[in-house]
C-alpha cells in the first residue's frame, strides 16, 4: 500500500490546500516523504457532511454487521505487515518490538468491541411494564442506548497505533454506531494514512456509507478547532497535553450546543512505598520502578512520575538500588523534537525548585532528541509547598518524595491532583495503612494497583483508564476497555410506543435474546 500524502474523506483521497506537513524521523531529524498537505474548513465541512449523511444508515445496521466491520479493520491492520511497522518505527523512533506489540493491542481492541457488540449488554435494554391500575397509572416505559452521532478523534503522539487512527477511541465510537472523523497526529502522518486506508477499504467492503470514516490532516489549532466546533460533531476523544485538551474542552463548551470532550491529559501516577514492603523487597521494587520509568522512554500516560516513601533504613537501600539501576539506562530517542524540547524544559523546571535535587541519572544523550532518564528527591513538606513539583514531565523523569511518617504520607495523597493510576507497594503488615491510603486514592485515581507498576494497561472489561482532572476532562469515563463505548452512547426512553414501532432490542418476546432489565429483574428471556 502506497502512502500518497492525501487526506481520506469518505471514499475519496483528497489533497489538502493548506500548509505543507512533513513526517520527521526523530532519530536523525530527516524528512520522510511524501509531503502531506493540510486541510482546512472546506475539508472539515465535507467530512462532517458525509458523516451526518452516514449516521442514520450506520447506526441502523445490526450489531453483528458492525462487529464484522471492526474485525475486518483488525485483520486489515495486521495484513499491512512490516510496511506499517517500518513506517511507524521511522516516524516515532519507537522500537520494532514495541510497535509489533502495539499493533496486536490495536487489533485486540477492535476485536474486544466486536465481542461487546455481540454480547448486547451495551444497549442496556430496560423495560418497565405499564401499570394501568395504579394511581396515577404508569405508562409502558422502555429504554435503550443509541449512538450520540458523529465523533471527532485526535490521534495521540505516543501510541501511533493503539491510540491513533484505529485506536481505542475510534474503535469504541465505531462500535457504538458513530461515524468517526480522525484528526491525524502530525508526528506520524504516514502511519495514519496506512491505517486510514485500511478503514476506508473496510467501509467500502462492508457496503457501509462512505461517511462512516474520514481522516483529516493539518498543523496548528485551526483544523482541530474547526472539527470540534462543527455542529455535526457530537463528542470528542483526545489524548495529549493538558493545554491542548483544555483548549478543545473550551471550544466545545463555547459551541451553541456544547458537547462532551473526553480528553486524557496529564498524570504523574504516584507510587506509595509502605514500610514492610520496603524492608522486605525495597531494592527489587527500586529496580522494577526504574524499568517502568524508562519503558517507552517514559512516554506513557501511566509513567511513574512520583514515588513516595517514609524515612528509614529501607529507604536508603531503595534509593541506592534505584540510582544504580538508573545509571545503567541509556538515553533514548523521544517521539518528536517538540516532545523532547518539552521534556528538557520540564526537567530544568524541576531542577529549579528549591529543595528538590537530582539524585540519579541515566547515560548522557548520544543523538538528536534523546532523553536522559532522571530521578529527583525532595521532602513531603517541600513537595506540598511548590505546586510545580506535581507537574507532569512527559518522559523518563520521576521524583522521590520522603515523608516523616504515615500521617504525612496520607496528607500528601490527599493533596494530589487527579491521576490515571495510583500504586501501593504493601506487604501483609502494611495492610492497615494501605487501607487508609486506598480510601484516599480511590477518590484520586481511575485505577489503584497493588504491588505492580502502572505502565501496561490491559484492554479488558474491568479496565479503567481515566480519572479526576487533570488526568481527564471527564472523571466518569474510561478511554481503554469495554466500557469506553459508554462515552459515545446516550439513553433514550420510549413511552407507550406502539409495538410495531419499537426498536428490536425492546420488543416483546426479546427477539434478539438480549440480557434485559425487565421490571427491575435481569433476564434474557
Ligand atoms: P498535543 O500538543 O496536545 O497535541 C495533540 C493533538 O491535538 C495534535 O493533533 C494537535 O495538533 C492537537 N491540538 C493541540 N492543541 C490544540 C488546540 N489548542 N486546538 C486544536 N488542536 C490542538 O500533544 P502531543 O503533540 O502529543 O504532545 C505534546 C505534549 O503532550 C507532550 O510533551 C506531553 O506533555 C503531552 N502528552 C501527554 C500524553 C498523555 O497520555 N498524558 C500523551 C501524549 C502527549 P498538531 O498535530 O497540530 O500538533
Amino acid at each position: 500500500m502506497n502512502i500518497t500524502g492525501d487526506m481520506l474523506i469518505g471514499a475519496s483521497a483528497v489533497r489538502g490546500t493548506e500548509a505543507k506537513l512533513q513526517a520527521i524521523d526523530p532519530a536523525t531529524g530527516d524528512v520522510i516523504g511524501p509531503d502531506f498537505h493540510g486541510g482546512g474548513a472546506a475539508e472539515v465541512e465535507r467530512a462532517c457532511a458525509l458523516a451526518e449523511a452516514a449516521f442514520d444508515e450506520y447506526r441502523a445496521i445490526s450489531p453483528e454487521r458492525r462487529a464484522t466491520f471492526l474485525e475486518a479493520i483488525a485483520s486489515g491492520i495486521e495484513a499491512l505487515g512490516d510496511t506499517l511497522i517500518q513506517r511507524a518505527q521511522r516516524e516515532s523512533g519507537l522500537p520494532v518490538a514495541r510497535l509489533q506489540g502495539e499493533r496486536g493491542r490495536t487489533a485486540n481492541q477492535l476485536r474486544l468491541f466486536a465481542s461487546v457488540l455481540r454480547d448486547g449488554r451495551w444497549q442496556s435494554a430496560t423495560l418497565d411494564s405499564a401499570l394501568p391500575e395504579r394511581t396515577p397509572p404508569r405508562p409502558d416505559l422502555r429504554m435503550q442506548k443509541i449512538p450520540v452521532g458523529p465523533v471527532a478523534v485526535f490521534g495521540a503522539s505516543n501510541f501511533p497505533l493503539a491510540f491513533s487512527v484505529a485506536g481505542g477511541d475510534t474503535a469504541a465510537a465505531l462500535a457504538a454506531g458513530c461515524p468517526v472523523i480522525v484528526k491525524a497526529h502530525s508526528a506520524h502522518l504516514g502511519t495514519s494514512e496506512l491505517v486510514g486506508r485500511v478503514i476506508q477499504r473496510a467501509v467500502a467492503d462492508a457496503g457501509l456509507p462512505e461517511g462512516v470514516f474520514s481522516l483529516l490532516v493539518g498543523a496548528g489549532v485551526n483544523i482541530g478547532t474547526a472539527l470540534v466546533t462543527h455542529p455535526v460533531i457530537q463528542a470528542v476523544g483526545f489524548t495529549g497535553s493538558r493545554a491542548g485538551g483544555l483548549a478543545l474542552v473550551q471550544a466545545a463548551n463555547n459551541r451553541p450546543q456544547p458537547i462532551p470532550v473526553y480528553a486524557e491529559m496529564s498524570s504523574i501516577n504516584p507510587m506509595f512505598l509502605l514500610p514492610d514492603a520496603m524492608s522486605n523487597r525495597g531494592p527489587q521494587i527500586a529496580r522494577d520502578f526504574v524499568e517502568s520509568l524508562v519503558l517507552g522512554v517514559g512516554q506513557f500516560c501511566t509513567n511513574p512520575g512520583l514515588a513516595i516513601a517514609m524515612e528509614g533504613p529501607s529507604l536508603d537501600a531503595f534509593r541506592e538500588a534505584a540510582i544504580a539501576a538508573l545509571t545503567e539506562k541509556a538515553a533514548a530517542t523521544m517521539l518528536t523534537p517538540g516532545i523532547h524540547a518539552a521534556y528538557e524544559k520540564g526537567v530544568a523546571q524541576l531542577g529549579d525548585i528549591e529543595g528538590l535535587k537530582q539524585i540519579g541519572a541515566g547515560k548522557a544523550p548520544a543523538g538528536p532528541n534523546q532523553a536522559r532518564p532522571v530521578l529527583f528527591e525532595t521532602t513531603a513538606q517541600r513537595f506540598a509547598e511548590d505546586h510545580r513539583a506535581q507537574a507532569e514531565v512527559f518522559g523518563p523523569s520521576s521524583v522521590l518524595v520522603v515523608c516523616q511518617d504515615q500521617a504525612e504520607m496520607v496528607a500528601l495523597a490527599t493533596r494530589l491532583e487527579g491521576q490515571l493510576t495510583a500504586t501501593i507497594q504493601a506487604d501483609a503488615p502494611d495492610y492497615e495503612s494501605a487501607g487508609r491510603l486506598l480510601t484516599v486514592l480511590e477518590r484520586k485515581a481511575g485505577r489503584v494497583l497493588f504491588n505492580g507498576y502502572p505502565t501496561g494497561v490491559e484492554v479488558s472489561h474491568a479496565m479503567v483508564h481515566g480519572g479526576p482532572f487533570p488526568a481527564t476532562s471527564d472523571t466518569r469515563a474510561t478511554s481503554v476497555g469495554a466500557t469506553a463505548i459508554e462515552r459515545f452512547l446516550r439513553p433514550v426512553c420510549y413511552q407507550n410506543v406502539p409495538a410495531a414501532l419499537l426498536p428490536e432490542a425492546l420488543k416483546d418476546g426479546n427477539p434478539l435474546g438480549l440480557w434485559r432489565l425487565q421490571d427491575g429483574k435481569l433476564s434474557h428471556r
Side-chain angles (χ1 to χ4, degrees):
M1 189 181 279
N2 286 333
I3 300 169
T4 59
D6 292 327
M7 285 176 286
L8 307 174
I9 302 185
S12 310
V14 176
R15 178 54 49 117
T17 51
E18 304 282 323
K20 182 170 84 176
L21 287 88
Q22 293 177 313
I24 306 288
D25 181 340
T28 59
D30 293 344
V31 170
I32 316 168
D35 289 347
F36 282 72
H37 296 270
E43 287 77 18
V44 169
E45 182 58 44
R46 189 164 162 194
C48 287
L50 286 174
E52 178 62 20
F55 180 44
D56 276 333
E57 186 179 337
Y58 182 55
R59 75 188 181 94
I61 69 169
S62 69
E64 176 57 37
R65 244 183 104 193
R66 279 217 292 276
T68 309
F69 168 53
L70 295 181
E71 287 165 342
I73 299 172
S75 303
I77 290 169
E78 288 165 340
L80 285 173
D82 287 346
T83 306
L84 178 66
I85 298 298
Q86 282 163 8
R87 179 74 192 199
Q89 198 283 324
R90 280 198 76 196
E91 288 186 326
S92 68
L94 293 170
V96 165
R98 146 75 200 271
L99 289 164
Q100 286 167 334
E102 197 182 318
R103 176 179 56 193
R105 178 198 171 113
T106 309
N108 288 345
Q109 270 174 177
L110 288 155
R111 294 187 174 116
L112 174 75
F113 283 111
S115 74
V116 166
L117 285 173
R118 292 191 175 107
D119 170 275
R121 275 175 296 175
W122 61 276
Q123 272 173 289
S124 302
T126 304
L127 293 82
D128 293 334
S129 305
L131 300 175
E133 311 305 329
R134 199 190 69 174
T135 310
R138 184 171 85 179
D140 181 277
L141 297 168
R142 304 180 189 220
M143 185 272 277
Q144 69 165 352
K145 289 195 174 164
I146 69 163
V148 292
V151 168
V153 169
F154 287 74
S157 58
N158 58 338
F159 280 87
L161 302 174
F163 276 88
S164 193
V165 176
D169 288 338
T170 299
L174 288 176
C178 301
V180 170
I181 303 174
V182 176
K183 149 69 171 80
H185 198 289
S186 308
H188 51 266
L189 294 165
T191 306
S192 297
E193 186 186 325
L194 286 171
V195 174
R197 285 186 179 276
V198 166
I199 304 179
Q200 190 184 51
R201 189 189 299 158
V203 169
D205 289 351
L208 299 174
E210 58 171 321
V212 164
F213 174 77
S214 290
L215 175 66
L216 300 175
V217 165
V221 303
N222 289 351
I223 190 162
T225 309
L227 187 56
V228 169
T229 54
H230 195 285
V232 154
I233 297 299
Q234 294 301 306
V236 179
F238 168 93
T239 301
S241 65
R242 190 191 298 207
L246 285 180
L248 296 180
V249 168
Q250 198 164 18
N253 283 336
N254 288 342
R255 290 167 41 128
Q257 175 220 2
I259 54 166
V261 175
Y262 299 100
E264 195 238 278
M265 297 173 290
S266 97
S267 178
I268 53 173
N269 306 298
M271 180 171 72
F272 293 84
L273 306 162
L274 294 184
D276 274 82
M278 283 287 267
S279 66
N280 292 336
R281 50 195 173 87
Q284 188 57 49
I285 295 173
R287 288 188 284 275
D288 294 342
F289 156 68
V290 168
E291 288 303 321
S292 179
L293 177 65
V294 303
L295 196 69
V297 204
Q299 300 164 117
F300 288 126
C301 33
T302 52
N303 188 253
L306 191 63
I308 302 128
M310 272 184 246
E311 196 71 77
S314 57
L315 173 61
D316 298 336
F318 172 90
R319 185 189 290 113
E320 204 174 292
I323 293 169
L326 202 60
T327 309
E328 296 302 312
K329 296 298 176 194
T333 309
M334 298 196 86
L335 291 157
T336 67
I339 286 177
H340 175 253
Y343 178 70
E344 296 279 306
K345 194 173 159 202
V347 168
Q349 184 166 301
L350 283 178
D352 283 346
I353 297 175
E354 202 189 316
L356 194 143
K357 62 178 190 301
Q358 187 178 314
I359 58 166
K363 297 188 198 306
N369 301 314
Q370 289 195 350
R372 180 183 209 173
V374 282
L375 181 61
F376 292 89
E377 182 173 331
T378 192
T379 62
Q381 192 186 337
R382 279 303 300 145
F383 183 80
E385 284 165 356
D386 197 325
H387 194 71
R388 292 175 300 166
Q390 270 205 57
E392 180 191 46
V393 177
F394 192 67
S397 161
S398 194
V399 180
L400 173 63
V401 180
V402 180
C403 303
Q404 293 300 314
D405 52 29
Q406 198 195 75
E408 196 169 41
M409 189 180 258
V410 173
L412 185 152
T414 309
R415 282 194 300 268
L416 283 175
E417 292 187 316
Q419 306 289 336
L420 293 169
T421 74
T423 301
I424 300 175
Q425 296 288 346
D427 286 351
D430 295 316
Y431 283 179
E432 201 186 317
S433 321
R436 268 198 291 280
L437 271 175
L438 184 57
T439 307
V440 177
L441 294 177
E442 66 190 3
R443 288 183 56 184
K444 295 283 173 186
R447 176 165 58 110
V448 183
L449 58 144
F450 272 71
N451 298 332
Y453 301 87
T455 42
V457 182
E458 188 67 35
V459 179
S460 69
H461 293 271
M463 177 49 66
V464 174
H465 191 63
F469 181 84
T472 76
S473 57
D474 190 330
T475 193
R476 296 162 298 179
T478 174
S479 60
V480 177
T483 50
I485 194 173
E486 293 287 336
R487 297 173 299 167
F488 306 120
L489 295 169
R490 67 180 185 85
V492 177
C493 178
Y494 302 79
Q495 181 170 331
N496 285 342
V497 172
L501 298 181
L502 278 170
E504 284 294 292
L506 302 179
K507 281 194 193 304
D508 288 343
N510 196 5
L512 300 181
L514 297 172
W515 279 102
R516 309 197 296 186
L517 198 64
Q518 172 83 56
D519 293 318
K521 292 202 176 62
L522 206 54
S523 151
H524 66 284
R525 285 197 299 277

